[in-house]
Amino acid sequence: MQKIMVCIKRVVDYNVRVRVKPDASGVMLDGVKMSVNPFDEIALEEALRIKERGANIEVVAVSIGVADAQQQLRTALAMGADRAILVQTDAAVEPLTAAHAFLALAKKETPDLIFLGKQAIDDDANQTGQMLAAIWDRPQATYASKVEISAGKANVTREVDAGLETIEVDLPAVITVDLRLNEPRYVKLPDIMKAKKKPLEVTSLDALGVSAGVHLKVLKTEPPAQRQKGVIVKDVPELVAFLKQKGLI
Amino acid sequence: MHKILIVGEHDGKTLNPATAKCVTCATGIADAQISIALFGEDTSAVASQAAALSGVESVLRVDRPENAHPLAAILAPQLVALAADYTHVFGPSTSFGKDLMPRVAGLLGVAQVSDLMAVEGAYRYRRPIYAGNAIVTVESDPSRKLLATVRVASFQAAATGGNASIESKALNVALPTHTRYLGAKSGSTDRPDLQTASRVVSGGRALGSAENFKLLFSLADKLGAAVGASRAAVDAGYAPNEMQVGQTGKIISPEMYMAIGISGAIQHLTGIKDARTIVAINKDGEAPIFEVADVGLVGDLFQIMPELERLIGT
Ligand SMILES: Cc1cc2nc3c(=O)[nH]c(=O)nc-3n(C[C@H](O)[C@H](O)[C@H](O)COP(=O)(O)OP(=O)(O)OC[C@H]3O[C@@H](n4cnc5c(N)ncnc54)[C@H](O)[C@@H]3O)c2cc1C
Ligand SMILES: Nc1ncnc2c1ncn2[C@@H]1O[C@H](COP(=O)(O)O)[C@@H](O)[C@H]1O
């Protein structure tokens, strides 16, 4: 194993309560805190742990997005990635487009493994890793909660609806990670300073020969239906009476 | 006419109820002609269950030893071959469908609508983004095949009583050997299935231990309910991962959801928005779970749970 690529998406921080614009044209993003997609932090942490166990593995963090996504790539470099590539674009990038851009990078970089998050918490698509694996014609191991690498193979435990499933895939492979795979490390100040000197290359979709086509047109963005606030009962007998009256028990 | 192919989910014996919900979703499309594809080693039993779903015209069986376990890399090229005759391909937004469908979309070079929650037209749908804090209406190009995962909590299961044709398909598709199934582990119990149960009792971090989760099991048994958990409870090892409810766990729509010692983080609420009645028990009267609960009781769960169990059924 020589190289691991990790996809890092800049998204609205998971603590922010996202609000819809009154004209239904999208969500309000002005002045909102942006972070590395939480799943992608876990993906990077896993790549770093593999690097730290093995010899001479290069970890490359890649992102597609606006110029400011350099901030999230700097975070990735501070965590321990060796270098970073930003595919800079102002366009809204759909998963299929992202997958094609990552494929173009994979062809250049020839990684043994590509780690992605299982989903981006903005579009909640849960597609990019699977699409990338499809067009790269390589195995996919989604929703990983445990990854073991051995000669030319990865043994991956996956979180599925029925419990846990284990599969073996040949490398190179695409792995998308779930929350319980690991706890990402905290970034320390000296690492942030060091990260400033690490290489961060900026390229474009054009340079990679990928067009940012729109396959799904977003017609409007609306707030979800709100649930009515209910009643507060004072004790267990009242709760039981409520449930009985509703026919629930 | 719109020809819709639904990928059936099953374990070789029983058709997963998610499939019947996908059928209901598909019947929302005008002029829909609906087929169900089944991949497995021997799908005879599940094929008759699929054929009985009302609204389904045909069931396509693809039986071969490689399909014994649903590996996306193995199933995707076969589904691509079947999809040639269809305008739409739908799968459930379960771990099975979420793994498989984007791989098929990738092979076909088309976009996918994830978590389709409402049909507004054959090429116009609503789906949630930002953990359900916004709902977008999206439209795709009718000249291209449309792939979607169906948010099963948004649809009722289709009724039975149908009589679809059943056909075995021999597909001449080369399958990759780079992906191998090794095994599975489930904490399966005799309790109702979390995704289809009409009642669910869920516990959070406040339960404090796996031992204390037994109190929850006992209450659930009394109610005939399935058991769920918050991410915090799963992370802490109080409950297995398949019990997690929420954005990254299961999205459910029971008649009754009882949240015990769960604060009500957005990511958790995403999973329970479609519950008919939400019951919250929490010692903090300000906990966000009370904002969405139909009925709430403020107090210590360790006192409330035993009393509740005693009073139920009296
Ligand atoms: C990307 C991402 C995805 C996530 N996905 C999910 C998901 O799918 N599902 C999910 O659940 N979470 C998810 N989370 C985590 C979520 O943000 C919360 O951290 C989690 O839901 C909190 O779990 P909890 O309510 O059990 O714990 P806490 O927030 O710690 O709440 C415990 C509650 O118990 C109450 N309590 C304490 N003691 C008692 C007592 N004796 N009696 C009664 N009440 C008591 C407290 O008042 C408190 O409200 C996700 C987070 C991220 C970042
Ligand atoms: N624009 C992007 N930049 C970097 N990574 C991305 C981008 N889009 C998707 N990804 C990766 O793909 C994963 C799944 O995203 P999605 O399919 O959009 O839910 C994310 O967790 C990222 O790892």
Side-chain angles (χ1 to χ4, degrees):
Chain A
M1 166 107 60
Q2 287 176 335
K3 199 187 281 187
I4 305 178
M5 190 164 116
V6 185
C7 301
I8 301 288
K9 189 173 186 186
R10 171 185 166 90
V11 297
V12 172
D13 187 85
Y14 80 95
N15 283 310
V16 173
R17 182 152 213 134
V18 170
R19 275 173 223 290
V20 170
K21 288 185 191 162
D23 67 356
S25 65
V27 297
M28 291 191 251
L29 295 177
D30 288 346
V32 162
K33 183 179 178 206
M34 304 297 285
S35 299
V36 174
N37 184 41
F39 293 97
D40 301 356
E41 260 189 310
I42 294 168
L44 176 59
E45 176 66 35
E46 196 63 18
L48 295 173
R49 290 186 190 188
I50 293 170
K51 174 188 168 82
E52 284 155 6
R53 280 196 294 268
N56 245 338
I57 296 173
E58 187 182 36
V59 174
V60 186
V62 301
S63 188
I64 309 164
V66 295
D68 279 345
Q70 288 197 26
Q71 292 162 7
Q72 281 65 40
L73 286 174
R74 286 288 167 207
T75 303
L77 293 170
M79 275 178 74
D82 297 294
R83 63 191 168 85
I85 304 172
L86 173 63
V87 182
Q88 193 176 316
T89 173
D90 288 332
V93 176
E94 292 181 7
L96 188 60
T97 307
H100 276 286
F102 292 141
L103 175 66
L105 290 174
K107 284 184 172 159
K108 272 196 190 166
E109 298 281 341
T110 63
D112 303 282
L113 260 181
I114 305 180
F115 274 113
L116 301 89
K118 83 162 176 183
Q119 78 195 63
I121 61 161
D122 48 4
D123 64 13
D124 282 331
N126 195 331
Q127 299 176 4
T128 309
Q130 297 89 313
M131 285 177 167
L132 171 60
I135 58 180
W136 197 24
D137 197 14
R138 293 307 308 163
Q140 70 188 46
T142 53
Y143 323 142
S145 66
K146 192 171 168 203
V147 176
E148 289 169 316
I149 307 292
S150 58
K153 292 189 196 109
N155 199 311
V156 181
T157 301
R158 309 178 51 231
E159 292 203 359
V160 294
D161 290 344
L164 298 171
E165 175 187 284
T166 310
I167 64 172
E168 182 184 72
V169 294
D170 294 338
L171 301 184
V174 173
I175 298 180
T176 80
V177 309
D178 218 316
L179 292 171
R180 272 174 287 275
L181 180 59
N182 62 47
E183 280 239 19
R185 65 196 63 191
Y186 283 102
V187 173
K188 294 187 237 50
L189 195 60
D191 298 328
I192 297 174
M193 303 312 290
K194 257 196 278 177
K196 291 193 173 140
K197 297 199 194 79
K198 289 186 180 175
L200 193 164
E201 177 194 338
V202 179
T203 179
S204 66
L205 289 170
D206 273 349
L208 296 175
V210 175
S211 69
V214 175
H215 297 89
L216 285 180
K217 229 185 336 187
V218 178
L219 303 180
K220 57 183 172 196
T221 306
E222 294 164 302
Q226 293 298 331
R227 287 186 79 100
Q228 296 288 334
K229 200 175 159 150
V231 297
I232 296 287
V233 291
K234 74 171 194 310
D235 56 19
V236 178
E238 264 194 25
L239 176 60
V240 170
F242 178 97
L243 297 176
K244 278 200 176 134
Q245 188 243 324
K246 284 252 180 185
L248 292 167
I249 55 173
Chain B
M1 173 155 17
H2 302 105
K3 293 191 72 185
I4 299 160
L5 182 63
I6 294 168
V7 193
E9 178 169 355
H10 64 90
D11 60 4
K13 295 185 213 76
T14 316
L15 192 68
N16 187 304
T19 310
K21 297 184 173 192
C22 292
V23 171
T24 301
C25 171
T27 54
I29 296 171
D31 298 326
Q33 189 180 318
I34 303 169
S35 303
I36 294 180
L38 295 170
F39 299 93
E41 209 169 14
D42 173 6
T43 59
S44 50
V46 281
S48 38
Q49 295 163 34
L53 292 175
S54 99
V56 178
E57 297 205 1
S58 62
V59 175
L60 314 176
R61 293 177 54 191
V62 187
D63 289 12
R64 55 192 286 183
E66 295 93 330
N67 293 346
H69 301 288
L71 294 169
I74 307 283
L75 301 191
Q78 302 176 69
L79 189 51
V80 166
L82 280 186
D85 300 334
Y86 292 85
T87 54
H88 298 60
V89 187
F90 286 0
S93 63
T94 54
S95 61
F96 162 78
K98 290 180 189 173
D99 183 38
L100 172 62
M101 299 305 287
R103 187 161 182 120
V104 176
L107 293 178
L108 290 167
V110 299
Q112 173 181 303
V113 176
S114 290
D115 301 315
L116 192 171
M117 60 184 282
V119 174
E120 302 222 315
Y123 293 93
R124 189 184 286 200
Y125 304 96
R126 282 158 64 83
R127 66 169 298 259
I129 57 173
Y130 289 102
N133 281 312
I135 308 294
V136 284
T137 304
V138 294
E139 190 172 61
S140 71
D141 176 357
S143 70
R144 315 199 64 178
K145 216 183 286 298
L146 182 82
L147 264 79
T149 58
V150 174
R151 184 176 181 276
V152 288
S154 300
F155 299 91
Q156 302 282 326
T160 51
N163 189 16
S165 64
I166 300 178
E167 192 183 332
S168 283
K169 286 271 182 187
L171 301 174
N172 190 12
V173 179
L175 301 182
T177 54
H178 53 46
T179 305
R180 294 166 292 274
Y181 175 86
L182 296 185
K185 200 177 92 196
S186 81
S188 78
T189 60
D190 301 336
R191 288 197 182 80
D193 174 57
L194 180 56
Q195 263 156 321
T196 48
S198 65
R199 295 163 184 181
V200 173
V201 175
S202 256
R205 192 197 310 270
L207 268 290
S209 69
E211 191 59 28
N212 287 340
F213 245 79
K214 290 188 187 144
L215 297 171
L216 204 71
F217 288 135
S218 158
L219 176 62
D221 289 346
K222 195 76 183 266
L223 285 165
V227 178
S230 71
R231 176 186 165 196
V234 175
D235 282 358
Y238 307 162
N241 69 283
E242 62 265 30
M243 281 190 193
Q244 184 175 316
V245 172
Q247 182 188 15
T248 50
K250 286 175 181 152
I251 313 269
I252 55 176
S253 52
E255 289 291 309
M256 176 175 82
Y257 184 77
M258 197 178 275
I260 303 182
I262 292 178
S263 60
I266 335 173
Q267 295 89 359
H268 188 81
L269 299 185
T270 308
I272 60 169
K273 281 202 176 123
D274 295 290
R276 182 74 61 81
T277 301
I278 296 177
V279 183
I281 297 171
N282 196 303
K283 71 173 183 193
D284 173 10
E286 302 291 308
I289 188 77
F290 289 120
E291 297 295 315
V292 299
D294 299 282
V295 58
L297 176 55
V298 181
D300 181 4
L301 68 91
F302 294 105
Q303 275 160 17
I304 292 169
M305 276 209 292
E307 190 181 352
L308 186 56
E309 196 182 325
R310 215 169 46 238
L311 293 185
I312 288 168
T314 57

